Amino acid sequence: MKKVILLLLVFLISVGFVSAATGYLWNADADTDKIYRLDLNGNVISSFNSPGPYPWGLAWDGKYLWNVDQSTKKVYKLDLNGNVLGSFDSPAGAPGGLTYDGEYLWHTNIGYATIYKTDKNGNVLGQIRNPDDRSTGITFDGTYFYVGYVWLSPGWVTKIDKSGNLIERIDSPGGNTWGLAYDWEYLWNTDIGEKKIYRFDFDGTVLKSFNSPSGSGGSPTGLVFIEDSDGDGISDWEDNCPNTPNSGQEDVDNDDIGDVCDNCIN
């Protein structure tokens, strides 16, 4: 029973029904063919090779990373060490952005208006149309989607509901948004022209920025935020005590609940 309660809490945090205090950014780069794990100041914690040669959108379903590759036109299911656990063909002809709404994956089609909804096996369940006709990155805040647009300068981020209705447009930092993420408070974007990652509010005001991990020779594309509520370096899904720091993950009775938060150690 304790394990079930812990897993339920972690899932609620992971899909955003419980606010997470801290976490990490994961950034795909289409030139270095790597996926980087960053702290929120831009420091590289780790990285691994992407499963395909041209990685774009990233999504997090509370347990696994999902990465779409524009060259292979496949969506890969990954663990946090980069091991490929499965894949399916992208529904998009020019796959770009990817996000998860707590149940389904949503895929943008670079340069086109269509945004596809699939299950985690790749079955297309529906589609909506971006009112700005073209799309890059995409993220979800629990209610609305935010979609990048770069074909006019400066570009912007379009906020739409799950039917594709326009809510508002937000100025995007750098004007060249390709990846988008939401940290349950503010938005983040990758700017492929300036090689930067920005955190910004819903008025487009920049709150933080730093160089992308690949530097001047890279092409930062996909971006996703993964929660680490207690800031101990272990993602909430992996953490056996997600709200109390315990980087060692000690669990003397092997019940998947860390000793520091286990009130029944046997």
Side-chain angles (χ1 to χ4, degrees):
M1 177 60 71
K2 289 190 295 181
K3 182 176 180 179
V4 171
I5 293 171
L6 175 66
L7 291 176
L8 177 60
L9 174 61
V10 169
F11 175 75
L12 291 174
I13 293 171
S14 295
V15 299
F17 297 112
V18 178
S19 179
T22 58
Y24 297 91
L25 292 170
W26 293 73
N27 171 222
D29 193 280
D31 276 346
T32 63
D33 304 335
K34 287 187 176 293
I35 296 174
Y36 300 91
R37 179 189 181 196
L38 313 173
D39 68 21
L40 300 187
N41 293 310
N43 299 303
V44 176
I45 305 301
S46 61
S47 67
F48 54 77
N49 293 329
S50 59
Y54 211 64
W56 280 68
L58 289 170
W60 170 246
D61 70 1
K63 184 176 182 181
Y64 299 111
L65 271 175
W66 297 80
N67 172 228
V68 63
D69 191 273
Q70 199 172 77
S71 177
T72 63
K73 302 187 188 305
K74 286 189 175 292
V75 178
Y76 298 94
K77 177 184 178 181
L78 311 171
D79 65 21
L80 293 180
N81 294 311
N83 298 304
V84 177
L85 306 176
S87 67
F88 59 81
D89 292 335
S90 169
L98 191 64
T99 196
Y100 182 69
D101 69 358
E103 186 173 7
Y104 302 110
L105 292 164
W106 294 77
H107 315 246
T108 66
N109 198 10
I110 295 289
Y112 298 90
T114 306
I115 301 172
Y116 298 93
K117 172 185 177 182
T118 73
D119 62 21
K120 289 189 279 189
N121 294 313
N123 299 303
V124 177
L125 305 176
Q127 61 186 51
I128 60 175
R129 186 177 181 85
N130 179 4
D132 285 333
D133 290 330
R134 297 181 180 184
S135 307
T136 56
I138 185 171
T139 193
F140 184 66
D141 73 356
T143 302
Y144 299 107
F145 294 112
Y146 298 83
V147 185
Y149 182 92
V150 300
W151 285 269
L152 293 176
S153 184
W156 59 80
V157 174
T158 306
K159 179 180 179 180
I160 59 176
D161 65 20
K162 295 182 81 170
S163 297
N165 299 304
L166 175 66
I167 306 301
E168 64 176 324
R169 294 183 178 93
I170 303 167
D171 292 336
S172 64
N176 203 1
T177 292
W178 287 96
L180 281 164
Y182 177 64
D183 67 8
W184 306 112
E185 186 175 12
Y186 296 112
L187 295 167
W188 295 79
N189 77 325
T190 59
D191 189 282
I192 205 169
E194 295 190 0
K195 320 294 187 187
K196 285 186 176 292
I197 296 174
Y198 295 92
R199 188 186 195 212
F200 59 105
D201 67 17
F202 297 98
D203 294 320
T205 301
V206 175
L207 306 173
K208 178 182 290 189
S209 69
F210 46 78
N211 293 330
S212 66
S214 55
S216 60
S219 293
T221 52
L223 195 66
V224 71
F225 175 80
I226 296 181
E227 300 85 354
D228 174 17
S229 297
D230 57 13
D232 63 1
I234 311 295
S235 72
D236 284 349
W237 179 260
E238 299 173 299
D239 199 335
N240 62 17
C241 210
N243 294 303
T244 304
N246 64 330
S247 59
Q249 298 288 283
E250 293 83 1
D251 179 16
V252 69
D253 58 3
N254 296 311
D255 65 353
D256 296 320
I257 298 178
D259 294 344
V260 297
C261 61
D262 191 345
N263 59 10
C264 184
I265 296 177
N266 297 317

